[in-house]
Each structure stands twice: as structure tokens, then as C-alpha cells.
Amino acid sequence: MPIRCVLALLLTCLSGIVGCARTGGTLDISRLDARPVFSQPFEQAWIASDNEGGYDIILVNRALGDTRTAGQTIKPLDRIPVRHVVHAHVLWRARGASRGDDPATGNASVNWYVLTPGATAGEDLLLYRGAGLVRVEPGRSSAHVGFSNVRVSPTIVRGDMTDPLGPSRISGTTRATWDPDRVRAILDQLETLTQSGS
């Protein structure tokens, strides 16, 4: 499928739903070797369980060019807007007093996508990949999700994107609505985006 069509489907999927419950949250990201910490709000979040006792969580910021804290803005390229999408795949559910700063307690892979919905139809892509501790507290209609000491590094820097952070650490919380169909659809489209142009 052409990348332009894939991006159109992705953006439609990301912006077309208004959930009944209040979902979303904020993730902080900071360089491993320095400050400051940048905070990224996510207005939508969805979760699905898999057949092996794990979870897939999708976070989406629907606002464009709205990554800022204390007067600072992450600008991975000269033009904005950019859109942020985070996917966490939780392999097992953390219980008890697992320490988030112990690498041995990591239970999830995390991908943070930064993409442009504009001129180059998704050919601009910045992708951070990594792992860490992601806690899931499931409820009936939604789940509370916490990210602790997730460490990521840039693995794809494509098009006009530049990497402003390098190896980084992610933490924060969000509330995600149960929606397996939406999670699967977004994951399929993100996979296509990362493969295109590689």
C-alpha cells in the first residue's frame, strides 16, 4: 500500500474517535546524560490484552506541535506540526514491589514514534525503541498504566527528521480504554510506516 494511503488511514484512525471515558496522560522524556525533562501530553490511549497474558498499549497525542514544558519545546525538525504515538508491549504484569530502576525488572518493549502528517506523507519519521517497566492495573472499562525507567534510543531517523535527545529515559502515567480492534489497526499501520522507505 502506498505510504500516502497508509498515513491517511493512520491519521483517520488516530483522530476519529472520541471516547466516553477520560483517557490519556503525560509521559516525561529526558536524556540519559543530561536535563531538562520534556513532558508530552497524550489525549488518547487504548489497551488490548493478548493471548499470552500480556498487553498492548497505544498512546496518541492529537494536538499538533504541543510538546513543551517550562517554556521548552522538542523540535525534531524545522517545521511542525509533528504527531507522537507510543506503543508499549507488556510481556507480563508486574506485581508487588518491583523496582523501576532495576533493569532486571523490565517487562515491556516501548516504541515512541514522531511523525509528520504533512508535506512528505509520513516519509519523515523519528522512532525511539527500548524497554523498561510498565505497570498495568486493569479495570472494567479502562486500565491505569505506569511507565518507570523505560530506556529508549533512536533507531530510525528518516526524511527531514533529526534526533534532539539521543538515548533517553521515559516515565509517566496514563489511563487507557479497552479497545482491541483499534489497537490492532494502529499497530498494523505503524508497522507499515516503519517498513516504508527502509
Side-chain angles (χ1 to χ4, degrees):
M1 180 181 292
I3 186 68
R4 189 175 301 276
C5 297
V6 172
L7 184 67
L9 286 171
L10 175 63
L11 295 182
T12 298
C13 186
L14 297 184
S15 62
I17 289 293
V18 178
C20 296
R22 183 174 180 84
T23 63
T26 299
L27 295 185
D28 294 334
I29 183 167
S30 60
R31 295 173 57 102
L32 291 180
D33 60 354
R35 297 227 175 232
V37 175
F38 297 93
S39 293
Q40 173 62 55
F42 291 88
E43 292 84 0
Q44 295 288 336
W46 299 281
I47 185 171
S49 57
D50 62 25
N51 296 327
E52 300 176 352
Y55 302 92
D56 284 297
I57 301 127
I58 297 287
L59 288 70
V60 175
N61 89 301
R62 298 175 63 205
L64 298 178
D66 192 27
T67 305
R68 57 179 176 266
T69 182
Q72 305 209 33
T73 303
I74 298 176
K75 293 182 180 178
L77 67 171
D78 291 336
R79 68 175 186 276
I80 47 180
V82 294
R83 188 175 300 265
H84 297 260
V85 182
V86 171
H87 168 225
H89 178 65
V90 179
L91 301 173
W92 48 269
R93 187 173 164 199
R95 299 178 185 273
S98 298
R99 288 173 46 108
D101 57 354
D102 181 357
T105 64
N107 68 336
S109 62
V110 177
N111 293 337
W112 186 313
Y113 301 79
V114 185
L115 55 94
T116 58
T120 55
E123 293 172 1
D124 293 331
L125 176 64
L126 173 59
L127 173 58
Y128 295 89
R129 293 185 194 266
L133 182 64
V134 178
R135 296 178 181 276
V136 177
E137 299 174 13
R140 290 185 60 188
S141 61
S142 64
H144 181 269
V145 182
F147 293 74
S148 300
N149 195 30
V150 175
R151 298 186 180 204
V152 295
S153 297
T155 59
I156 296 177
V157 183
R158 194 165 70 204
D160 290 334
M161 287 291 194
T162 58
D163 164 37
L165 296 173
S168 301
R169 180 181 290 109
I170 297 170
S171 62
T173 60
T174 187
R175 180 163 293 279
T177 300
W178 294 102
D179 194 336
D181 292 340
R182 182 157 302 276
V183 169
R184 184 70 263 160
I186 294 175
L187 289 179
D188 289 345
Q189 293 157 15
L190 289 173
E191 182 178 358
T192 302
L193 284 175
T194 58
Q195 292 174 349
S196 301
S198 59

